[in-house]
Amino acid sequence: MTAIFNFQSLLSVLLLTVCTCTYIHRQFPALFDKRKEGVTTVFWKCARIGERASPYISLFCVFMALRLMLGSS
């Protein structure tokens, strides 16, 4: 089953995308410039979400890790 059809997997993929884009944007700020068009704009928006919603993103990461550790069905 792909991540599109499984809600928990979809949330994991979105969370990992936001976290990865935020980390890359902090290391290489010019890589995701907001004036670019195309796919990099999506990555820039994910990085911006990660920067501005940082406490909520980290809490969601902890929640997903606990859910995976406890073995969700």
Side-chain angles (χ1 to χ4, degrees):
M1 186 175 271
T2 63
I4 295 172
F5 300 116
N6 187 350
F7 186 67
Q8 184 176 355
S9 297
L10 178 65
L11 287 178
S12 296
V13 168
L14 289 175
L15 184 65
L16 286 172
T17 303
V18 168
C19 291
T20 303
C21 289
T22 304
Y23 177 76
I24 291 173
H25 189 332
R26 297 241 181 205
Q27 296 298 319
F28 309 104
L31 192 61
F32 298 141
D33 191 8
K34 66 180 178 181
R35 291 180 294 272
K36 292 182 180 178
E37 294 180 3
V39 178
T40 55
T41 303
V42 174
F43 293 144
W44 180 81
K45 288 179 182 179
C46 287
R48 185 60 67 192
I49 289 169
E51 290 171 355
R52 294 196 178 173
S54 172
Y56 299 110
I57 296 293
S58 62
L59 287 175
F60 194 64
C61 284
V62 170
F63 173 73
M64 292 294 286
L66 289 174
R67 186 172 171 133
L68 288 173
M69 278 186 0
L70 296 176
S72 63
S73 300

